[in-house]
Amino acid sequence: MITCFDIGGSAIKSAGADADGHIGAARRVPTPAADFGAFTAAMRELIAAGGPSRGVAISIAGVIDPADGRIKCANIPCIDGRALAADLAAELKLPVWIANDADCFALAEAHAGAGRGHANVFGLILGTGVGGGLVIDGRLIGGPGGFAGEWGHGPVAAHFAGTPPQAIPRFACGCGQTGCLDAVGGARGLERLHAALHPGAAPLDSRQIIDAWQDGDIDAARTIDCYIDILAGPLAMLVNTIGASVLPVGGGLSNSAPLIAMLDDAVRARILRKTAAAIIVPGQSGAEAGLIGAAWLGLAELAKIAP
């Protein structure tokens, strides 16, 4: 048995996982975001409540530097900048393995979701921003060369998009660059794009834009047309490069089946290998994707030290 955690800025979820990756009932406590002592105490209590544990696997909303293990996690200040796995292992007296939430989503989908039966799976996040994780033959891919799966960063967003072509502003990104997909591809990016394309119009949130598009609104349809065009090219390049046969989608925008179907059509029209089978599909691992992904992460790492 290992203990799995799904940690965000507002809550810590925990559950035990057996050797087959099945997770038990989840427990939840508020995240002590400002106090590392309280943070580790909460984790220790959750581990004890679940019974004997051979290790701790964590899905977390943050980016972990592959060179030194330090985490960037602005919404949990007490862990920001720490070599978190090492610090927690010292406090909890157990091995600790950590991956970000997009990587754990990819693992969950590869083992227990829409990616089952596929050798190469890219878990695609369309949430507040964009992200992802790559799983090949059941194993999460990463390395010291960079943040594997972070396809949203780099100044690669299209200058023109849609039919007929429309000039697209180069939006500033939180990573410090300008023109990143992350700045236009997530829910906030969709809202930003809509406002730029229709100056003077009443502001709409991402759900309202999608609903208006489905109701036949011309302005919303123009926004969605440009949005799909902006994302489809980079995603087609991603599929061509890594050979993923399925890209399960998570995050808030994945709740719109028509949007995901339209994106799938656009990507399949642009890839080299033509296929009638859907590639961009809604994820199936549900609300416990973080715990499920953490379970598979931890079990793989535990096998390396205790086969």
PDB file of all heavy atoms in Angstrom, residues 261-275:
ATOM      1  N   ALA A 261     -14.763  17.972 -30.058  1.00  0.00           N
ATOM      2  CA  ALA A 261     -14.966  17.303 -31.345  1.00  0.00           C
ATOM      3  C   ALA A 261     -14.482  18.180 -32.493  1.00  0.00           C
ATOM      4  O   ALA A 261     -13.873  17.685 -33.459  1.00  0.00           O
ATOM      5  CB  ALA A 261     -16.440  16.954 -31.526  1.00  0.00           C
ATOM      6  N   MET A 262     -14.734  19.471 -32.418  1.00  0.00           N
ATOM      7  CA  MET A 262     -14.282  20.390 -33.461  1.00  0.00           C
ATOM      8  C   MET A 262     -12.758  20.463 -33.486  1.00  0.00           C
ATOM      9  O   MET A 262     -12.138  20.485 -34.564  1.00  0.00           O
ATOM     10  CB  MET A 262     -14.881  21.774 -33.223  1.00  0.00           C
ATOM     11  CG  MET A 262     -14.601  22.773 -34.332  1.00  0.00           C
ATOM     12  SD  MET A 262     -15.447  24.356 -33.995  1.00  0.00           S
ATOM     13  CE  MET A 262     -14.975  25.299 -35.447  1.00  0.00           C
ATOM     14  N   LEU A 263     -12.135  20.497 -32.313  1.00  0.00           N
ATOM     15  CA  LEU A 263     -10.678  20.510 -32.235  1.00  0.00           C
ATOM     16  C   LEU A 263     -10.094  19.220 -32.805  1.00  0.00           C
ATOM     17  O   LEU A 263      -9.094  19.247 -33.539  1.00  0.00           O
ATOM     18  CB  LEU A 263     -10.243  20.713 -30.784  1.00  0.00           C
ATOM     19  CG  LEU A 263      -8.739  20.811 -30.529  1.00  0.00           C
ATOM     20  CD1 LEU A 263      -8.125  21.980 -31.294  1.00  0.00           C
ATOM     21  CD2 LEU A 263      -8.467  20.958 -29.031  1.00  0.00           C
ATOM     22  N   ASP A 264     -10.717  18.092 -32.494  1.00  0.00           N
ATOM     23  CA  ASP A 264     -10.260  16.807 -33.029  1.00  0.00           C
ATOM     24  C   ASP A 264     -10.310  16.793 -34.553  1.00  0.00           C
ATOM     25  O   ASP A 264      -9.353  16.364 -35.217  1.00  0.00           O
ATOM     26  CB  ASP A 264     -11.115  15.679 -32.457  1.00  0.00           C
ATOM     27  CG  ASP A 264     -10.783  14.344 -33.082  1.00  0.00           C
ATOM     28  OD1 ASP A 264      -9.629  13.886 -32.948  1.00  0.00           O
ATOM     29  OD2 ASP A 264     -11.670  13.751 -33.726  1.00  0.00           O
ATOM     30  N   ASP A 265     -11.406  17.256 -35.127  1.00  0.00           N
ATOM     31  CA  ASP A 265     -11.529  17.308 -36.587  1.00  0.00           C
ATOM     32  C   ASP A 265     -10.413  18.159 -37.195  1.00  0.00           C
ATOM     33  O   ASP A 265      -9.808  17.784 -38.216  1.00  0.00           O
ATOM     34  CB  ASP A 265     -12.882  17.889 -36.999  1.00  0.00           C
ATOM     35  CG  ASP A 265     -14.036  16.917 -36.787  1.00  0.00           C
ATOM     36  OD1 ASP A 265     -13.776  15.706 -36.664  1.00  0.00           O
ATOM     37  OD2 ASP A 265     -15.195  17.381 -36.739  1.00  0.00           O
ATOM     38  N   ALA A 266     -10.137  19.308 -36.569  1.00  0.00           N
ATOM     39  CA  ALA A 266      -9.131  20.222 -37.105  1.00  0.00           C
ATOM     40  C   ALA A 266      -7.728  19.640 -37.000  1.00  0.00           C
ATOM     41  O   ALA A 266      -6.905  19.807 -37.907  1.00  0.00           O
ATOM     42  CB  ALA A 266      -9.204  21.556 -36.368  1.00  0.00           C
ATOM     43  N   VAL A 267      -7.445  18.947 -35.906  1.00  0.00           N
ATOM     44  CA  VAL A 267      -6.117  18.340 -35.745  1.00  0.00           C
ATOM     45  C   VAL A 267      -5.938  17.186 -36.726  1.00  0.00           C
ATOM     46  O   VAL A 267      -4.895  17.073 -37.396  1.00  0.00           O
ATOM     47  CB  VAL A 267      -5.914  17.872 -34.286  1.00  0.00           C
ATOM     48  CG1 VAL A 267      -4.642  17.021 -34.161  1.00  0.00           C
ATOM     49  CG2 VAL A 267      -5.848  19.072 -33.353  1.00  0.00           C
ATOM     50  N   ARG A 268      -6.944  16.318 -36.852  1.00  0.00           N
ATOM     51  CA  ARG A 268      -6.814  15.174 -37.765  1.00  0.00           C
ATOM     52  C   ARG A 268      -6.692  15.616 -39.223  1.00  0.00           C
ATOM     53  O   ARG A 268      -6.092  14.907 -40.034  1.00  0.00           O
ATOM     54  CB  ARG A 268      -7.993  14.216 -37.576  1.00  0.00           C
ATOM     55  CG  ARG A 268      -7.863  13.402 -36.299  1.00  0.00           C
ATOM     56  CD  ARG A 268      -8.842  12.262 -36.208  1.00  0.00           C
ATOM     57  NE  ARG A 268     -10.210  12.733 -36.024  1.00  0.00           N
ATOM     58  CZ  ARG A 268     -11.199  12.529 -36.862  1.00  0.00           C
ATOM     59  NH1 ARG A 268     -10.995  11.876 -38.002  1.00  0.00           N
ATOM     60  NH2 ARG A 268     -12.418  12.976 -36.592  1.00  0.00           N
ATOM     61  N   ALA A 269      -7.221  16.790 -39.553  1.00  0.00           N
ATOM     62  CA  ALA A 269      -7.071  17.315 -40.910  1.00  0.00           C
ATOM     63  C   ALA A 269      -5.657  17.802 -41.186  1.00  0.00           C
ATOM     64  O   ALA A 269      -5.267  17.950 -42.352  1.00  0.00           O
ATOM     65  CB  ALA A 269      -8.051  18.463 -41.137  1.00  0.00           C
ATOM     66  N   ARG A 270      -4.857  18.011 -40.125  1.00  0.00           N
ATOM     67  CA  ARG A 270      -3.528  18.595 -40.271  1.00  0.00           C
ATOM     68  C   ARG A 270      -2.381  17.605 -40.049  1.00  0.00           C
ATOM     69  O   ARG A 270      -1.232  17.931 -40.340  1.00  0.00           O
ATOM     70  CB  ARG A 270      -3.375  19.778 -39.300  1.00  0.00           C
ATOM     71  CG  ARG A 270      -4.205  21.001 -39.671  1.00  0.00           C
ATOM     72  CD  ARG A 270      -4.313  21.949 -38.480  1.00  0.00           C
ATOM     73  NE  ARG A 270      -4.889  23.255 -38.816  1.00  0.00           N
ATOM     74  CZ  ARG A 270      -6.173  23.508 -38.948  1.00  0.00           C
ATOM     75  NH1 ARG A 270      -7.056  22.511 -38.796  1.00  0.00           N
ATOM     76  NH2 ARG A 270      -6.605  24.715 -39.239  1.00  0.00           N
ATOM     77  N   ILE A 271      -2.649  16.423 -39.492  1.00  0.00           N
ATOM     78  CA  ILE A 271      -1.563  15.486 -39.214  1.00  0.00           C
ATOM     79  C   ILE A 271      -1.198  14.684 -40.457  1.00  0.00           C
ATOM     80  O   ILE A 271      -1.978  14.579 -41.396  1.00  0.00           O
ATOM     81  CB  ILE A 271      -1.924  14.532 -38.051  1.00  0.00           C
ATOM     82  CG1 ILE A 271      -3.177  13.721 -38.354  1.00  0.00           C
ATOM     83  CG2 ILE A 271      -2.083  15.315 -36.753  1.00  0.00           C
ATOM     84  CD1 ILE A 271      -3.511  12.689 -37.291  1.00  0.00           C
ATOM     85  N   LEU A 272       0.000  14.107 -40.429  1.00  0.00           N
ATOM     86  CA  LEU A 272       0.475  13.353 -41.581  1.00  0.00           C
ATOM     87  C   LEU A 272      -0.256  12.029 -41.736  1.00  0.00           C
ATOM     88  O   LEU A 272      -0.610  11.623 -42.845  1.00  0.00           O
ATOM     89  CB  LEU A 272       1.983  13.097 -41.446  1.00  0.00           C
ATOM     90  CG  LEU A 272       2.878  14.322 -41.657  1.00  0.00           C
ATOM     91  CD1 LEU A 272       4.321  13.975 -41.321  1.00  0.00           C
ATOM     92  CD2 LEU A 272       2.765  14.830 -43.084  1.00  0.00           C
ATOM     93  N   ARG A 273      -0.475  11.321 -40.616  1.00  0.00           N
ATOM     94  CA  ARG A 273      -1.136  10.018 -40.679  1.00  0.00           C
ATOM     95  C   ARG A 273      -2.643  10.237 -40.607  1.00  0.00           C
ATOM     96  O   ARG A 273      -3.169  10.609 -39.569  1.00  0.00           O
ATOM     97  CB  ARG A 273      -0.674   9.128 -39.535  1.00  0.00           C
ATOM     98  CG  ARG A 273      -1.390   7.780 -39.500  1.00  0.00           C
ATOM     99  CD  ARG A 273      -0.937   6.951 -38.292  1.00  0.00           C
ATOM    100  NE  ARG A 273      -1.714   5.724 -38.203  1.00  0.00           N
ATOM    101  CZ  ARG A 273      -2.858   5.619 -37.518  1.00  0.00           C
ATOM    102  NH1 ARG A 273      -3.345   6.664 -36.857  1.00  0.00           N
ATOM    103  NH2 ARG A 273      -3.505   4.470 -37.475  1.00  0.00           N
ATOM    104  N   LYS A 274      -3.323   9.998 -41.706  1.00  0.00           N
ATOM    105  CA  LYS A 274      -4.762  10.212 -41.731  1.00  0.00           C
ATOM    106  C   LYS A 274      -5.483   9.048 -41.076  1.00  0.00           C
ATOM    107  O   LYS A 274      -5.151   7.878 -41.301  1.00  0.00           O
ATOM    108  CB  LYS A 274      -5.247  10.392 -43.173  1.00  0.00           C
ATOM    109  CG  LYS A 274      -4.593  11.563 -43.904  1.00  0.00           C
ATOM    110  CD  LYS A 274      -4.706  12.867 -43.108  1.00  0.00           C
ATOM    111  CE  LYS A 274      -4.038  14.027 -43.823  1.00  0.00           C
ATOM    112  NZ  LYS A 274      -4.023  15.258 -42.990  1.00  0.00           N
ATOM    113  N   THR A 275      -6.448   9.361 -40.243  1.00  0.00           N
ATOM    114  CA  THR A 275      -7.202   8.341 -39.521  1.00  0.00           C
ATOM    115  C   THR A 275      -8.633   8.810 -39.314  1.00  0.00           C
ATOM    116  O   THR A 275      -8.885  10.006 -39.111  1.00  0.00           O
ATOM    117  CB  THR A 275      -6.547   8.030 -38.159  1.00  0.00           C
ATOM    118  OG1 THR A 275      -7.371   7.123 -37.423  1.00  0.00           O
ATOM    119  CG2 THR A 275      -6.335   9.295 -37.338  1.00  0.00           C
TER     120      THR A 275
END
